[in-house]
Amino acid sequence: MSKQSTNSLEVRILNFIQNGTGNFGKLLLETFHYQREHNKAYGNYCANLSEPKTWQEIPAVPQTAFRHFPMRCFSENETIRTFRTSGTTGEGFGEHHFRSLDLYESAARKGWENASLPDRIEIALLPTPKEAPHSSLSCMAGWLAKSDAFFINEGVLQLERLRHVLNLATEPVTLFGTALAFLNYFEWLESKGYRHQIPNYSRVVETGGYKGSGREIPKAELYHKFETALGVSAQAILNEYGMTELSSQFYTRGIGNTHIGPAWARAMVIDPVSGHEVPDGEQGVLKIYDLANLDSVSAVLTRDFARRHGAHFELLGRDPAALPRGCSRNADETLQRKNLK
Amino acid sequence: MTTRSIADALANTAHEFPFLGKITAQDLLDIVRMELGHEDILDGFAPYGKHQARAFAPETILHIVSGNTPHAALQSLIRCLLLNTHNLVKIPRTGLREVEEFTQKLPAELQAKVEIATELTDAWITQAGAVIVFGSDETIHAIRSRVPASKPFFAHGHRVSFGIVYEDPTFASTVDAAQDASLFDQQGCLSPHIFYIREQKPGDAIRYAGQLAKEMEAFQEKHPRGALSAEEAAEIFHLRTSYRFRAANDVRVACWESVGNDAWTVIYEDDPWFVASCLNRVVYVKPLPDNLETFLTPVRQWLGAIGIWPCEPRFVENLATLGASRICAIGQMQSPPFTWHQENSQTLANLVHWVDFEPSSPIESKS
């Protein structure tokens, strides 16, 4: 595929994202052919697999592929940005390379808009894109927030500053951050005996994630803390499901609802034994097809479990049995860490 | 009952459970003799050095066993029955058929010495003179916190095992290697995660992996693997997908898998670092590096058994200091003798307390 037609495909995907013009299946199959030809590792993987006739048959790569191989459809020197996974203990980190952030930005902005979120983030419990150039989350927040909206500086959550800003808020605000950052803030508030009542119609977007912290609390418990600490109900909280290996995001509101993706990214829940899509209501492994991943690979097999609800999914989380059973967690982490050398 | 009559009864019952291996009454008496010095030393004073001694077991011992391997649970129970102690056995909520059946087949007098339950009560902990736990470190930690510090507590956490094939030009050991990796669906601490192959010529290890895959399939045909939870199936699915992708891009990786199901998986990886299997008949094959010790560093403290082929003394000395408590032939990894120093120490000897008797004149031995 020539550079011209690549651009053409990119333009058509951008159009699909922004205007909905085009056909997802056709675009994805075209994207697959492009990626198979230009992403060497993916091409090698697909060489022994049967030719997909529909987009649902496109081979997905495991997330670990981003750790072991350069998953890009362009040469290394064309790379303008590389995002890294946060390197959960024992997993190493994967890399997602970009030669253009146009599709990612377009997907992030449009996805945010589709989730009926205000167009500006007032408070991001994240480091700035400058401080965390390899964080796809900070990059996304950088498009949606002003530079003074970031509340993690040199790795430290600015507790007093955050409290001060929230106390002064008189208009609805939108907060964005990882579950761990919110949890840390809430625990600090609790230890000081503080709490907020942020303005009505405020919104919270939490991205899940407790990576590297060794802790995790049930979602209902976290959302209860949101209510106690900020005075926001579960219905005002959205969970954003995304990952470094993808360019698009899925959102759900409150507790017990399904995640809904945009038209250009589809989820499929797979039976781990048969490899086929599970019937509606059944659980399996979550596979994502993301057109915005044009320059890497669009079909990604996640490590997450989900229950299928039509074209949507209920996120069940990462398999708790993913670690070798029986060994202590310490043992597991040591084993896996060493395996990365 | 005397120790000898108990040993007879236990051997008779164990005979009906072939997976325990061939156990005679003398085998059991040998454990008593080797660990406590004399076969009759639990029944009365017996010679002990220049004097006499008598060993007393706790009246009651609490066993908390995991569902992974009935073998370990039964060995623990048999050893403690040999001590003529009363046994409280906490089995998993889903039951542990072998332990229940074994108990039912014991003579009434011994059967009365075993109580089985699926819930662990504080009353049992109070009643027990010693506590033996098999399970994950989390389980052990949780139970330890409920047991008074003064009470003897023996924890058997999970271990990882592996095999080394030093010389096997015809790959004859693959039959036994497949058995070791498949028995108990690889859940036990003696289940091998990896076979290291000393290559006589380049490519031996990958060829061994291919042959092992055939034997894994053959074992599966005779002894199908048990059902998996969705999480376990997903783990194998992820592992296979990951290694397939790597294999397509890296000649140092190859994988073989059962067709149409996830019954077994063999992964060849030319990377000497120890890697833990996700279990359920997923086994790695790697070329044996010169300095294996280095590549085992992360797991040294968790080593269980090392299976070797051929199982000859010339290979043992270098392995003895690695940390494993057992070095045996590939094919025997899942059949530890009752005299095995589990956790690198004695079992009966740690449970008893002693009373010495120093008569003014020597007394004749009973046996």
Side-chain angles (χ1 to χ4, degrees), chain A residues 32-78:
Chain A
F32 162 71
H33 290 293
Y34 165 68
Q35 292 171 343
R36 186 173 61 178
E37 189 181 338
H38 293 272
N39 177 331
K40 188 164 174 277
Y42 187 48
N44 289 340
Y45 180 58
C46 294
N48 297 321
L49 302 175
S50 51
E51 181 74 22
K53 295 183 182 65
T54 64
W55 66 264
Q56 290 92 341
E57 293 172 7
I58 292 173
V61 305
Q63 272 182 273
T64 52
F66 287 82
R67 196 202 312 169
H68 294 291
F69 303 98
M71 298 300 294
R72 59 179 156 229
C73 296
F74 48 90
S75 62
E76 189 176 355
N77 58 19
E78 287 180 89

Side-chain angles (χ1 to χ4, degrees), chain B residues 167-180:
Chain B
E167 290 168 12
D168 183 13
T170 62
F171 298 160
S173 63
T174 50
V175 178
D176 290 333
Q179 176 186 294
D180 281 344

Side-chain angles (χ1 to χ4, degrees), chain B residues 248-312:
Chain B
N249 285 286
D250 189 341
V251 294
R252 295 168 301 175
V253 176
C255 49
W256 293 259
E257 6 180 293
S258 52
V259 178
N261 57 51
D262 54 13
W264 57 265
T265 308
V266 175
I267 294 163
Y268 165 80
E269 196 174 22
D270 185 3
D271 174 340
W273 284 95
F274 190 96
V275 60
S277 162
C278 64
L279 311 184
N280 292 308
R281 303 190 179 178
V282 173
V283 64
Y284 290 81
V285 173
K286 293 168 178 257
L288 178 68
D290 290 337
N291 49 342
L292 179 63
E293 196 174 330
T294 305
F295 301 105
L296 294 175
T297 306
V299 289
R300 287 281 294 275
Q301 59 181 309
W302 291 290
L303 285 181
I306 304 172
I308 61 173
W309 185 286
C311 192
E312 294 175 5

